[in-house]
Amino acid sequence: MTQTRPQQSTGQWADVPEPKTVGDHVVERLARWGVRRYYGYPGDGVGGVMAGVSRARRAGAAQLVQVRHEETAAFAAVADVKYGGSPIGACVVTGGPGAVHALNGLYDAKLDRVPVVALVGQTATPALGTRFYQEVDAKALYEDVADYVIQLSSADQVIHAVDQACRTALAHRTVCAIIVPSDLGSEDAVLETPVAHGYSHTSSVPSTDPGAPPQAALREAAAVLNAGERVAVLAGVGAAGATAELTAVADALGAGVAKALLGKHVLDDRLPWVTGAIGLLGTRASYELMQHCDTLLVVGSSMPYGEYYPPPGQARSVQVDLDGAACGLRTPTEVNLVGDAAETLAALLPLLHPRGDGAWRERIATWKGDDDAVRDARCAASADPVNPEAVVRGLQAHLPDDALLAVDCGTATAWYARDVDLRPGQFGSLSGLLLSMGGALPYSLAAKTAHPHRPVVALVGDGAMQMNGVNELITVAKEWQGWDDPRLVVLVLNNRDLSFETWEVRAELGEVPDPASQSLPDVPYAQWAQLLGLAGTRVERPEDVDAAWAAALSADRPFVIDAVVDPSTPIIPPHVSAEQALGTVESGLRSALHGDEQVPGLVRQGLRQVVAPVLSAVRHRAGGRSED
């Protein structure tokens, strides 16, 4: 069984034309590093570079996707790498406002450790320092988000600047920025670096990846793991490409595996020893796994919620990561193995002592079964008008084997984490550490651009859809007829509320949410899609959910499902207890004292989502039927 992120696109590119200008030269040098796809929006500040991209595009040597906003350009550049489209993502944005707009997407790359190069325009060189139109100090602006920032001042810097940016982006898995003043982008290219003092002759050959750690470190790690009787594994996105090795190690140790959200695709969610997501939006099975293990192996994860790791002093820990600085950052570790996950686990496997007793995995399977019963009960709970968790769960029966998912941040994230079981060959991603709203549509565009022959599904809340999704549907309408498979399905969870934040206001502050800040207008998303020449439907009854998914995933064009869902459906933490159930009611009552008119429905729905699933799990463990 193999399950990794999608393979990098290997399209047939023509040779980049011989550069005539600095803009051409930047594009030609980037092509040597495998950068052929650009997401951007034009402006005079980056005109010379955009002209170079356009000339390469017309020659069949590059691809340009014009989006509606520079933030989308940066988000899509991140996603292009996450979905295996390019080794390095690239966005092209103009100076001033364009440079500012792109920052959010670039911080997504920085926090999720994705190599991206931003090509940023700037005021013409003679005007710098004169408070000219759109003049901002782009170098200072980008110094926090980028590991390497250079503002070009002469044509003979291009080779060095591009090579250093790409090498740094790949080595550090981060953002780098090349700022090109508008006049310089159109100057004549200097294709050969002078042989003179002060000039560097650089290489466009990528460095090798780190392999496995030394044998002594592997033996030390194996000793810790072999001593454990109840081993847990936490796998993150750094374990991508190591599915077979991770499976073999987990089998040898008789371990259960919990997954950080960006690593959801690493192992099949249906395996009885895979407990699913971990953290606030995770499963109770993952919580129990960490609470009862005596040994922890962390592979390629930096999941930040400390309360979801084993309690201090309970478990001995080993960590595997490409970045030594990430080791021991979240939980105390005894051995830190710095290296490639697949090679490190393969080297570790022969040193492990296979377990003969399957009692630990039997306990894990019991927790997993309880979780399944809880999920079924939550999804079956009645709602007004439609249960959002049931809508997302309804995707499962229709999800193609090669589907790519793009998920926004909000309640959609919780239902994706808990209710979508990714199978081998499927892949999903989102803004993992930045947790930015507005990522799903740019991500889905990048996924579809990188893999035009595969179906893509975006899970979006109405807040994120109004933030940028309605605009980027215009980009979808502009691009979709060039895709081999026209299916891009956008599910909008339309609850007319910024519901994730609203729950935080109630639960954490005990305050009544202010409609002025929390309520959203009811936008006809499906009709907007139809107006753009796409397809769509509005779902207002539970019995229509299945038909909507069937229609969307058999449509001959992109499709929007506008699902009108209940804003009172709570997101219950995985470690559900009677105390927390009472806390849910208590927070509602505290809000009621402040005049929250939604409280009766909230408490009723909260009890449905808390008490009924717990009773269902008890019935399941006792061998009875699970009922709502």
Side-chain angles (χ1 to χ4, degrees):
M1 178 183 68
T2 301
Q3 185 174 19
T4 66
R5 72 180 69 207
Q7 294 296 306
Q8 281 188 6
S9 302
T10 55
Q12 298 300 309
W13 301 106
D15 292 336
V16 178
E18 182 175 348
K20 303 296 185 183
T21 68
V22 166
D24 294 335
H25 195 194
V26 169
V27 173
E28 184 272 337
R29 196 70 183 183
L30 282 168
R32 300 189 187 203
W33 288 89
V35 178
R36 298 278 191 163
R37 186 175 295 120
Y38 299 85
Y39 299 88
Y41 201 82
D44 60 352
V46 75
V49 175
M50 188 65 80
V53 173
S54 296
R55 281 189 283 270
R57 184 194 65 80
R58 288 193 291 269
Q63 185 176 8
L64 172 63
V65 180
Q66 182 214 74
V67 294
R68 313 273 65 78
H69 194 280
E70 290 90 353
E71 178 181 275
T72 297
F75 267 133
V78 181
D80 198 89
V81 179
K82 286 187 174 184
Y83 289 90
S86 303
I88 303 170
C91 62
V92 188
V93 299
T94 194
V100 175
H101 286 166
L103 281 174
N104 194 52
L106 294 176
Y107 272 105
D108 185 42
K110 177 184 175 73
L111 269 63
D112 281 357
R113 306 186 65 193
V114 176
V116 169
V117 171
L119 303 178
V120 184
Q122 178 57 289
T123 300
T125 306
L128 289 173
T130 68
R131 300 183 182 181
F132 201 73
Y133 288 115
Q134 297 189 329
E135 182 186 356
V136 301
D137 189 344
K139 192 170 187 299
L141 186 70
Y142 273 66
E143 279 182 344
D144 180 61
V145 74
D147 272 26
Y148 173 77
V149 187
I150 185 170
Q151 181 164 302
L152 301 184
S153 57
S154 66
D156 49 17
Q157 291 178 288
V158 168
I159 294 173
H160 164 77
V162 172
D163 287 352
Q164 183 71 0
C166 291
R167 191 179 307 283
T168 302
L170 287 172
H172 297 175
R173 292 176 294 158
T174 191
V175 177
C176 293
I178 301 173
I179 302 164
V180 186
S182 59
D183 56 327
L184 184 61
S186 300
E187 286 188 7
D188 291 343
V190 177
L191 303 183
E192 298 292 336
T193 303
V195 180
H197 180 70
Y199 289 94
S200 296
H201 294 259
T202 61
S203 167
S204 58
V205 178
S207 304
T208 60
D209 293 328
Q215 278 294 312
L218 291 167
R219 286 193 295 270
E220 187 180 357
V224 173
L225 297 171
N226 286 330
E229 296 181 357
R230 302 183 306 279
V231 182
V233 178
L234 171 56
V237 69
T243 297
E245 295 81 0
L246 183 63
T247 301
V249 166
D251 284 343
L253 295 170
V257 182
K259 299 182 293 184
L261 199 51
L262 285 177
K264 184 174 174 65
H265 65 284
V266 171
L267 288 172
D268 191 331
D269 277 311
R270 301 168 300 174
L271 293 169
W273 44 271
V274 174
T275 59
I278 191 171
L280 181 65
L281 306 182
T283 67
R284 184 177 179 91
S286 292
Y287 180 76
E288 297 287 0
L289 177 70
M290 294 297 159
Q291 290 298 304
H292 293 90
C293 71
D294 63 11
T295 307
L296 174 64
L297 172 61
V298 181
V299 182
S301 173
S302 187
M303 192 275 295
Y305 294 119
E307 64 270 33
Y308 291 95
Y309 286 92
Q314 172 185 294
R316 304 175 69 188
S317 299
V318 173
Q319 187 163 355
V320 178
D321 204 285
L322 277 171
D323 182 5
C327 293
L329 181 64
R330 306 301 187 190
T331 189
T333 50
E334 286 189 43
V335 184
N336 296 319
L337 300 176
V338 178
D340 174 78
E343 293 189 47
T344 300
L345 293 174
L348 186 62
L349 183 62
L351 305 176
L352 301 178
H353 301 157
R355 304 295 197 273
D357 180 10
W360 175 234
R361 276 198 165 177
E362 289 177 7
R363 288 182 70 186
I364 295 167
T366 299
W367 294 327
K368 177 85 175 273
D370 288 349
D371 256 353
D372 289 342
V374 167
R375 177 172 65 182
D376 290 345
R378 285 199 316 259
C379 290
S382 60
D384 182 18
V386 181
N387 183 337
E389 192 166 5
V391 177
V392 175
R393 184 63 180 167
L395 168 63
Q396 195 66 50
H398 300 276
L399 195 61
D401 290 338
D402 61 343
L404 303 173
L405 285 86
V407 186
D408 225 294
C409 290
T411 55
T413 320
W415 313 140
Y416 164 73
R418 296 176 179 177
D419 297 309
V420 177
D421 294 332
L422 289 186
R423 307 188 298 272
Q426 299 171 341
F427 180 87
S429 194
L430 70 156
S431 175
L433 284 178
L434 186 62
L435 294 173
S436 175
M437 291 172 62
L441 261 294
Y443 271 43
S444 64
L445 277 166
K448 201 67 187 176
T449 302
H451 303 282
H453 58 287
R454 296 179 65 168
V456 174
V457 177
L459 307 179
V460 191
D462 49 359
M465 195 64 185
Q466 292 181 22
M467 184 175 285
N468 65 354
V470 290
N471 288 334
E472 293 309 332
L473 277 182
I474 299 172
T475 310
V476 172
K478 178 176 179 286
E479 298 286 337
W480 76 269
Q481 295 190 49
W483 299 336
D484 298 330
D485 183 328
R487 291 176 295 173
L488 191 163
V489 180
V490 180
L491 169 67
V492 184
L493 295 174
N494 182 358
N495 57 20
R496 293 78 60 208
D497 188 75
L498 294 172
S499 53
F500 199 102
E501 170 64 18
T502 296
W503 274 104
E504 290 178 332
V505 170
R506 289 191 178 102
E508 295 180 11
L509 302 178
E511 295 287 339
V512 55
D514 183 357
S517 67
Q518 301 306 116
S519 297
L520 296 171
D522 184 6
V523 174
Y525 303 103
Q527 291 181 39
W528 170 236
Q530 293 164 359
L531 188 63
L532 294 172
L534 310 178
T537 189
R538 187 172 172 98
V539 173
E540 298 178 293
R541 304 184 307 165
E543 55 266 34
D544 294 335
V545 170
D546 190 69
W549 280 120
L553 284 161
S554 61
D556 64 353
R557 63 195 60 211
F559 196 106
V560 172
I561 299 175
D562 179 2
V564 183
V565 297
D566 193 339
S568 301
T569 303
I571 302 172
I572 304 300
H575 43 292
V576 174
S577 65
E579 179 181 332
Q580 287 168 319
L582 291 173
T584 299
V585 177
E586 180 186 356
S587 66
L589 293 176
R590 280 191 288 147
S591 289
L593 295 175
H594 289 82
D596 190 345
E597 296 177 357
Q598 298 297 318
V599 161
L602 294 171
V603 174
R604 181 173 60 251
Q605 189 68 0
L607 291 174
R608 284 175 180 158
Q609 293 286 330
V610 176
V611 177
V614 171
L615 291 176
S616 177
V618 171
R619 293 191 193 100
H620 173 268
R621 188 173 294 189
R625 290 191 335 147
S626 174
E627 300 175 356
D628 182 28

